PDB file of all heavy atoms in Angstrom:
ATOM      1  N   ALA A  24       0.808  -1.221   0.000  1.00 47.00           N
ATOM      2  CA  ALA A  24       0.000   0.000   0.000  1.00 47.00           C
ATOM      3  C   ALA A  24       0.839   1.269   0.000  1.00 47.00           C
ATOM      4  O   ALA A  24       0.551   2.207  -0.746  1.00 47.00           O
ATOM      5  CB  ALA A  24      -0.953  -0.014   1.186  1.00 47.00           C
ATOM      6  N   PRO A  25       1.943   1.389   0.810  1.00 49.00           N
ATOM      7  CA  PRO A  25       2.713   2.652   0.761  1.00 49.00           C
ATOM      8  C   PRO A  25       3.318   2.937  -0.596  1.00 49.00           C
ATOM      9  O   PRO A  25       3.327   4.090  -1.043  1.00 49.00           O
ATOM     10  CB  PRO A  25       3.789   2.432   1.829  1.00 49.00           C
ATOM     11  CG  PRO A  25       3.207   1.439   2.752  1.00 49.00           C
ATOM     12  CD  PRO A  25       2.400   0.518   1.886  1.00 49.00           C
ATOM     13  N   ALA A  26       3.833   1.902  -1.276  1.00 50.00           N
ATOM     14  CA  ALA A  26       4.395   2.122  -2.605  1.00 50.00           C
ATOM     15  C   ALA A  26       3.346   2.590  -3.592  1.00 50.00           C
ATOM     16  O   ALA A  26       3.584   3.470  -4.429  1.00 50.00           O
ATOM     17  CB  ALA A  26       5.053   0.828  -3.105  1.00 50.00           C
ATOM     18  N   LEU A  27       2.142   2.008  -3.503  1.00 46.00           N
ATOM     19  CA  LEU A  27       1.065   2.430  -4.393  1.00 46.00           C
ATOM     20  C   LEU A  27       0.652   3.877  -4.129  1.00 46.00           C
ATOM     21  O   LEU A  27       0.401   4.656  -5.051  1.00 46.00           O
ATOM     22  CB  LEU A  27      -0.131   1.490  -4.209  1.00 46.00           C
ATOM     23  CG  LEU A  27      -1.360   1.760  -5.094  1.00 46.00           C
ATOM     24  CD1 LEU A  27      -0.981   1.636  -6.568  1.00 46.00           C
ATOM     25  CD2 LEU A  27      -2.489   0.789  -4.752  1.00 46.00           C
ATOM     26  N   LEU A  28       0.628   4.247  -2.866  1.00 47.00           N
ATOM     27  CA  LEU A  28       0.279   5.628  -2.535  1.00 47.00           C
ATOM     28  C   LEU A  28       1.324   6.617  -3.014  1.00 47.00           C
ATOM     29  O   LEU A  28       1.012   7.715  -3.479  1.00 47.00           O
ATOM     30  CB  LEU A  28       0.069   5.780  -1.015  1.00 47.00           C
ATOM     31  CG  LEU A  28      -1.174   5.061  -0.445  1.00 47.00           C
ATOM     32  CD1 LEU A  28      -1.195   5.171   1.062  1.00 47.00           C
ATOM     33  CD2 LEU A  28      -2.451   5.619  -1.054  1.00 47.00           C
ATOM     34  N   ARG A  29       2.621   6.227  -2.908  1.00 54.00           N
ATOM     35  CA  ARG A  29       3.678   7.123  -3.400  1.00 54.00           C
ATOM     36  C   ARG A  29       3.599   7.303  -4.907  1.00 54.00           C
ATOM     37  O   ARG A  29       3.872   8.372  -5.430  1.00 54.00           O
ATOM     38  CB  ARG A  29       5.050   6.567  -2.991  1.00 54.00           C
ATOM     39  CG  ARG A  29       5.393   6.807  -1.527  1.00 54.00           C
ATOM     40  CD  ARG A  29       6.876   6.570  -1.286  1.00 54.00           C
ATOM     41  NE  ARG A  29       7.244   5.187  -1.558  1.00 54.00           N
ATOM     42  CZ  ARG A  29       7.212   4.212  -0.648  1.00 54.00           C
ATOM     43  NH1 ARG A  29       6.799   4.473   0.592  1.00 54.00           N
ATOM     44  NH2 ARG A  29       7.567   2.985  -0.967  1.00 54.00           N
ATOM     45  N   SER A  30       3.202   6.224  -5.604  1.00 48.00           N
ATOM     46  CA  SER A  30       3.080   6.340  -7.056  1.00 48.00           C
ATOM     47  C   SER A  30       1.905   7.200  -7.473  1.00 48.00           C
ATOM     48  O   SER A  30       1.910   7.834  -8.520  1.00 48.00           O
ATOM     49  CB  SER A  30       2.949   4.938  -7.692  1.00 48.00           C
ATOM     50  OG  SER A  30       1.747   4.323  -7.228  1.00 48.00           O
ATOM     51  N   LEU A  31       0.862   7.237  -6.666  1.00 44.00           N
ATOM     52  CA  LEU A  31      -0.332   8.032  -6.997  1.00 44.00           C
ATOM     53  C   LEU A  31      -0.305   9.437  -6.430  1.00 44.00           C
ATOM     54  O   LEU A  31      -1.160  10.239  -6.753  1.00 44.00           O
ATOM     55  CB  LEU A  31      -1.580   7.307  -6.477  1.00 44.00           C
ATOM     56  CG  LEU A  31      -1.908   5.953  -7.141  1.00 44.00           C
ATOM     57  CD1 LEU A  31      -3.105   5.329  -6.450  1.00 44.00           C
ATOM     58  CD2 LEU A  31      -2.152   6.114  -8.634  1.00 44.00           C
ATOM     59  N   ARG A  32       0.713   9.753  -5.632  1.00 45.00           N
ATOM     60  CA  ARG A  32       0.704  11.058  -4.963  1.00 45.00           C
ATOM     61  C   ARG A  32       0.778  12.230  -5.920  1.00 45.00           C
ATOM     62  O   ARG A  32       0.004  13.185  -5.792  1.00 45.00           O
ATOM     63  CB  ARG A  32       1.824  11.119  -3.927  1.00 45.00           C
ATOM     64  CG  ARG A  32       1.809  12.394  -3.080  1.00 45.00           C
ATOM     65  CD  ARG A  32       2.882  12.309  -2.028  1.00 45.00           C
ATOM     66  NE  ARG A  32       2.615  11.186  -1.131  1.00 45.00           N
ATOM     67  CZ  ARG A  32       3.499  10.772  -0.222  1.00 45.00           C
ATOM     68  NH1 ARG A  32       4.685  11.357  -0.113  1.00 45.00           N
ATOM     69  NH2 ARG A  32       3.206   9.764   0.572  1.00 45.00           N
ATOM     70  N   PRO A  33       1.671  12.285  -6.946  1.00 43.00           N
ATOM     71  CA  PRO A  33       1.704  13.462  -7.830  1.00 43.00           C
ATOM     72  C   PRO A  33       0.428  13.671  -8.591  1.00 43.00           C
ATOM     73  O   PRO A  33      -0.052  14.790  -8.720  1.00 43.00           O
ATOM     74  CB  PRO A  33       2.885  13.162  -8.751  1.00 43.00           C
ATOM     75  CG  PRO A  33       3.720  12.202  -7.999  1.00 43.00           C
ATOM     76  CD  PRO A  33       2.776  11.349  -7.242  1.00 43.00           C
ATOM     77  N   ALA A  34      -0.142  12.558  -9.111  1.00 41.00           N
ATOM     78  CA  ALA A  34      -1.385  12.715  -9.867  1.00 41.00           C
ATOM     79  C   ALA A  34      -2.522  13.177  -8.982  1.00 41.00           C
ATOM     80  O   ALA A  34      -3.390  13.941  -9.381  1.00 41.00           O
ATOM     81  CB  ALA A  34      -1.748  11.399 -10.555  1.00 41.00           C
ATOM     82  N   ALA A  35      -2.511  12.659  -7.760  1.00 39.00           N
ATOM     83  CA  ALA A  35      -3.604  13.038  -6.859  1.00 39.00           C
ATOM     84  C   ALA A  35      -3.473  14.460  -6.371  1.00 39.00           C
ATOM     85  O   ALA A  35      -4.459  15.141  -6.149  1.00 39.00           O
ATOM     86  CB  ALA A  35      -3.649  12.086  -5.668  1.00 39.00           C
ATOM     87  N   SER A  36      -2.197  14.917  -6.248  1.00 40.00           N
ATOM     88  CA  SER A  36      -2.015  16.265  -5.732  1.00 40.00           C
ATOM     89  C   SER A  36      -2.377  17.330  -6.736  1.00 40.00           C
ATOM     90  O   SER A  36      -2.632  18.468  -6.382  1.00 40.00           O
ATOM     91  CB  SER A  36      -0.545  16.453  -5.302  1.00 40.00           C
ATOM     92  OG  SER A  36       0.299  16.299  -6.430  1.00 40.00           O
ATOM     93  N   VAL A  37      -2.401  16.930  -8.065  1.00 40.00           N
ATOM     94  CA  VAL A  37      -2.745  17.934  -9.065  1.00 40.00           C
ATOM     95  C   VAL A  37      -4.221  18.299  -8.988  1.00 40.00           C
ATOM     96  O   VAL A  37      -4.603  19.446  -9.134  1.00 40.00           O
ATOM     97  CB  VAL A  37      -2.379  17.396 -10.475  1.00 40.00           C
ATOM     98  CG1 VAL A  37      -2.854  18.374 -11.543  1.00 40.00           C
ATOM     99  CG2 VAL A  37      -0.887  17.184 -10.570  1.00 40.00           C
ATOM    100  N   GLY A  38      -5.051  17.295  -8.770  1.00 38.00           N
ATOM    101  CA  GLY A  38      -6.497  17.554  -8.782  1.00 38.00           C
ATOM    102  C   GLY A  38      -7.109  17.788  -7.426  1.00 38.00           C
ATOM    103  O   GLY A  38      -8.338  17.813  -7.309  1.00 38.00           O
ATOM    104  N   VAL A  39      -6.292  17.911  -6.376  1.00 38.00           N
ATOM    105  CA  VAL A  39      -6.843  18.107  -5.037  1.00 38.00           C
ATOM    106  C   VAL A  39      -7.286  19.548  -4.875  1.00 38.00           C
ATOM    107  O   VAL A  39      -6.570  20.479  -5.233  1.00 38.00           O
ATOM    108  CB  VAL A  39      -5.803  17.733  -3.962  1.00 38.00           C
ATOM    109  CG1 VAL A  39      -6.338  18.128  -2.582  1.00 38.00           C
ATOM    110  CG2 VAL A  39      -5.539  16.243  -4.023  1.00 38.00           C
ATOM    111  N   LEU A  40      -8.466  19.732  -4.371  1.00 39.00           N
ATOM    112  CA  LEU A  40      -8.998  21.058  -4.084  1.00 39.00           C
ATOM    113  C   LEU A  40      -9.122  21.208  -2.571  1.00 39.00           C
ATOM    114  O   LEU A  40      -9.766  20.387  -1.916  1.00 39.00           O
ATOM    115  CB  LEU A  40     -10.368  21.259  -4.745  1.00 39.00           C
ATOM    116  CG  LEU A  40     -10.374  21.241  -6.286  1.00 39.00           C
ATOM    117  CD1 LEU A  40     -11.808  21.355  -6.778  1.00 39.00           C
ATOM    118  CD2 LEU A  40      -9.522  22.351  -6.833  1.00 39.00           C
ATOM    119  N   HIS A  41      -8.483  22.210  -2.073  1.00 42.00           N
ATOM    120  CA  HIS A  41      -8.547  22.466  -0.635  1.00 42.00           C
ATOM    121  C   HIS A  41      -9.756  23.350  -0.359  1.00 42.00           C
ATOM    122  O   HIS A  41      -9.782  24.518  -0.755  1.00 42.00           O
ATOM    123  CB  HIS A  41      -7.266  23.156  -0.149  1.00 42.00           C
ATOM    124  CG  HIS A  41      -6.050  22.303  -0.350  1.00 42.00           C
ATOM    125  ND1 HIS A  41      -5.714  21.269   0.487  1.00 42.00           N
ATOM    126  CD2 HIS A  41      -5.104  22.326  -1.336  1.00 42.00           C
ATOM    127  CE1 HIS A  41      -4.606  20.702   0.077  1.00 42.00           C
ATOM    128  NE2 HIS A  41      -4.219  21.314  -1.044  1.00 42.00           N
ATOM    129  N   VAL A  42     -10.715  22.776   0.262  1.00 42.00           N
ATOM    130  CA  VAL A  42     -11.955  23.493   0.574  1.00 42.00           C
ATOM    131  C   VAL A  42     -11.949  23.845   2.055  1.00 42.00           C
ATOM    132  O   VAL A  42     -11.794  22.967   2.907  1.00 42.00           O
ATOM    133  CB  VAL A  42     -13.194  22.633   0.240  1.00 42.00           C
ATOM    134  CG1 VAL A  42     -14.468  23.391   0.596  1.00 42.00           C
ATOM    135  CG2 VAL A  42     -13.173  22.250  -1.228  1.00 42.00           C
ATOM    136  N   VAL A  43     -12.054  25.105   2.306  1.00 43.00           N
ATOM    137  CA  VAL A  43     -12.085  25.587   3.689  1.00 43.00           C
ATOM    138  C   VAL A  43     -13.532  25.858   4.064  1.00 43.00           C
ATOM    139  O   VAL A  43     -14.196  26.688   3.450  1.00 43.00           O
ATOM    140  CB  VAL A  43     -11.234  26.862   3.857  1.00 43.00           C
ATOM    141  CG1 VAL A  43     -11.309  27.344   5.290  1.00 43.00           C
ATOM    142  CG2 VAL A  43      -9.798  26.583   3.432  1.00 43.00           C
ATOM    143  N   ARG A  44     -13.994  25.125   5.030  1.00 46.00           N
ATOM    144  CA  ARG A  44     -15.368  25.292   5.492  1.00 46.00           C
ATOM    145  C   ARG A  44     -15.379  26.060   6.813  1.00 46.00           C
ATOM    146  O   ARG A  44     -14.565  25.797   7.677  1.00 46.00           O
ATOM    147  CB  ARG A  44     -16.045  23.927   5.681  1.00 46.00           C
ATOM    148  CG  ARG A  44     -16.219  23.164   4.371  1.00 46.00           C
ATOM    149  CD  ARG A  44     -16.956  21.860   4.629  1.00 46.00           C
ATOM    150  NE  ARG A  44     -17.139  21.135   3.375  1.00 46.00           N
ATOM    151  CZ  ARG A  44     -17.762  19.950   3.305  1.00 46.00           C
ATOM    152  NH1 ARG A  44     -18.247  19.385   4.418  1.00 46.00           N
ATOM    153  NH2 ARG A  44     -17.894  19.351   2.147  1.00 46.00           N
ATOM    154  N   PRO A  45     -16.274  26.979   6.911  1.00 47.00           N
ATOM    155  CA  PRO A  45     -16.351  27.685   8.205  1.00 47.00           C
ATOM    156  C   PRO A  45     -16.861  26.767   9.290  1.00 47.00           C
ATOM    157  O   PRO A  45     -17.544  25.773   9.036  1.00 47.00           O
ATOM    158  CB  PRO A  45     -17.343  28.826   7.925  1.00 47.00           C
ATOM    159  CG  PRO A  45     -18.190  28.332   6.798  1.00 47.00           C
ATOM    160  CD  PRO A  45     -17.272  27.466   5.951  1.00 47.00           C
ATOM    161  N   ILE A  46     -16.488  27.118  10.513  1.00 48.00           N
ATOM    162  CA  ILE A  46     -16.915  26.300  11.649  1.00 48.00           C
ATOM    163  C   ILE A  46     -18.426  26.436  11.862  1.00 48.00           C
ATOM    164  O   ILE A  46     -19.127  25.444  12.037  1.00 48.00           O
ATOM    165  CB  ILE A  46     -16.150  26.716  12.914  1.00 48.00           C
ATOM    166  CG1 ILE A  46     -14.654  26.427  12.708  1.00 48.00           C
ATOM    167  CG2 ILE A  46     -16.660  25.957  14.130  1.00 48.00           C
ATOM    168  CD1 ILE A  46     -13.793  26.901  13.849  1.00 48.00           C
ATOM    169  N   HIS A  47     -18.920  27.687  11.802  1.00 48.00           N
ATOM    170  CA  HIS A  47     -20.347  27.922  11.998  1.00 48.00           C
ATOM    171  C   HIS A  47     -21.003  28.016  10.625  1.00 48.00           C
ATOM    172  O   HIS A  47     -20.853  29.009   9.917  1.00 48.00           O
ATOM    173  CB  HIS A  47     -20.585  29.210  12.783  1.00 48.00           C
ATOM    174  CG  HIS A  47     -19.955  29.179  14.149  1.00 48.00           C
ATOM    175  ND1 HIS A  47     -20.489  28.461  15.196  1.00 48.00           N
ATOM    176  CD2 HIS A  47     -18.827  29.760  14.620  1.00 48.00           C
ATOM    177  CE1 HIS A  47     -19.728  28.608  16.262  1.00 48.00           C
ATOM    178  NE2 HIS A  47     -18.716  29.388  15.933  1.00 48.00           N
ATOM    179  N   THR A  48     -21.694  26.962  10.224  1.00 53.00           N
ATOM    180  CA  THR A  48     -22.354  26.958   8.919  1.00 53.00           C
ATOM    181  C   THR A  48     -23.751  27.544   8.970  1.00 53.00           C
ATOM    182  O   THR A  48     -24.316  27.868   7.934  1.00 53.00           O
ATOM    183  CB  THR A  48     -22.432  25.516   8.385  1.00 53.00           C
ATOM    184  OG1 THR A  48     -23.134  24.712   9.343  1.00 53.00           O
ATOM    185  CG2 THR A  48     -21.042  24.949   8.162  1.00 53.00           C
ATOM    186  N   SER A  49     -24.317  27.664  10.149  1.00 53.00           N
ATOM    187  CA  SER A  49     -25.667  28.210  10.282  1.00 53.00           C
ATOM    188  C   SER A  49     -25.598  29.607  10.883  1.00 53.00           C
ATOM    189  O   SER A  49     -24.607  30.007  11.472  1.00 53.00           O
ATOM    190  CB  SER A  49     -26.531  27.304  11.166  1.00 53.00           C
ATOM    191  OG  SER A  49     -25.986  27.221  12.469  1.00 53.00           O
ATOM    192  N   GLN A  50     -26.680  30.342  10.700  1.00 57.00           N
ATOM    193  CA  GLN A  50     -26.739  31.697  11.234  1.00 57.00           C
ATOM    194  C   GLN A  50     -26.864  31.648  12.756  1.00 57.00           C
ATOM    195  O   GLN A  50     -27.476  30.746  13.323  1.00 57.00           O
ATOM    196  CB  GLN A  50     -27.930  32.442  10.645  1.00 57.00           C
ATOM    197  CG  GLN A  50     -27.821  32.657   9.135  1.00 57.00           C
ATOM    198  CD  GLN A  50     -29.015  33.406   8.606  1.00 57.00           C
ATOM    199  OE1 GLN A  50     -29.949  33.691   9.345  1.00 57.00           O
ATOM    200  NE2 GLN A  50     -28.976  33.731   7.324  1.00 57.00           N
ATOM    201  N   GLN A  51     -26.249  32.644  13.370  1.00 56.00           N
ATOM    202  CA  GLN A  51     -26.310  32.734  14.817  1.00 56.00           C
ATOM    203  C   GLN A  51     -27.712  33.179  15.230  1.00 56.00           C
ATOM    204  O   GLN A  51     -28.261  34.142  14.704  1.00 56.00           O
ATOM    205  CB  GLN A  51     -25.268  33.721  15.332  1.00 56.00           C
ATOM    206  CG  GLN A  51     -23.846  33.282  15.050  1.00 56.00           C
ATOM    207  CD  GLN A  51     -23.475  32.038  15.824  1.00 56.00           C
ATOM    208  OE1 GLN A  51     -23.930  31.864  16.943  1.00 56.00           O
ATOM    209  NE2 GLN A  51     -22.673  31.179  15.220  1.00 56.00           N
TER     210      GLN A  51
END
């Protein structure tokens, strides 16, 4: 598994989207 993950890391890192979600999603 670690070798497979290392081989997929560059391809996976290209399409990764970092989504930042706020802590409070509802109105106060």
Side-chain angles (χ1 to χ4, degrees):
L27 181 61
L28 292 174
R29 283 195 297 270
S30 63
L31 294 176
R32 186 176 298 171
S36 62
V37 175
V39 172
L40 295 176
H41 298 281
V42 179
V43 179
R44 295 183 179 180
I46 296 175
H47 300 284
T48 57
S49 62
Q50 295 180 356
Q51 296 293 326

